[in-house]
Amino acid sequence: MSAAQQAECNIELGKVSRVSELGPVLDDIIVPTRYVLASGSSFGSRGDEQERIRASLDAVCASNPNLRISAKVASNHDHVLRKDFHAIAETVREVAAFDRSGH
């Protein structure tokens, strides 16, 4: 992917990640949904940009009881699968338990 394509993707991602765009989609989720939240700094982010985005998740989770952050890990989003697979596995087990219990 060229630098221009990467920049265009990041701009688009920023637009669709806004609470005004993504909030209504997340509000409509009707099944238990869990997140593993990466808390490390992201490549190309400036200042507290990522932390402000992450902070908006609290409001989204508060408005829909089906959404919850199961874990907050130290990795950034590029490394969460490699470094925090244990937290991801535990989150998958948490969601799988809903199915076994009839929820």
Side-chain angles (χ1 to χ4, degrees), residues 83-100:
K83 293 183 177 181
D84 295 299
F85 56 89
H86 294 292
I88 294 168
E90 185 57 35
T91 300
V92 169
R93 286 185 202 97
E94 180 183 344
V95 173
F98 286 115
D99 189 46
R100 289 193 297 272

Side-chain angles (χ1 to χ4, degrees), residues 10-79:
N10 284 342
I11 291 167
E12 181 68 19
L13 181 60
K15 289 177 182 176
V16 300
S17 297
R18 292 179 184 144
V19 173
S20 61
E21 298 293 324
L22 191 56
V25 174
L26 295 175
D27 285 343
D28 287 343
I29 292 176
I30 60 171
V31 297
T33 303
R34 302 298 182 258
Y35 290 93
V36 174
L37 183 62
S39 63
S41 60
S42 295
F43 180 71
S45 293
R46 295 184 180 105
D48 68 343
E49 207 168 45
Q50 289 296 313
E51 209 45 48
R52 283 186 288 130
I53 293 168
R54 292 173 185 134
S56 69
L57 289 175
D58 291 335
V60 172
C61 290
S63 70
N64 185 339
N66 292 309
L67 304 178
R68 198 173 94 211
I69 297 170
S70 290
K72 186 173 182 179
V73 297
S75 298
N76 67 21
H77 67 279
D78 289 334
H79 297 116

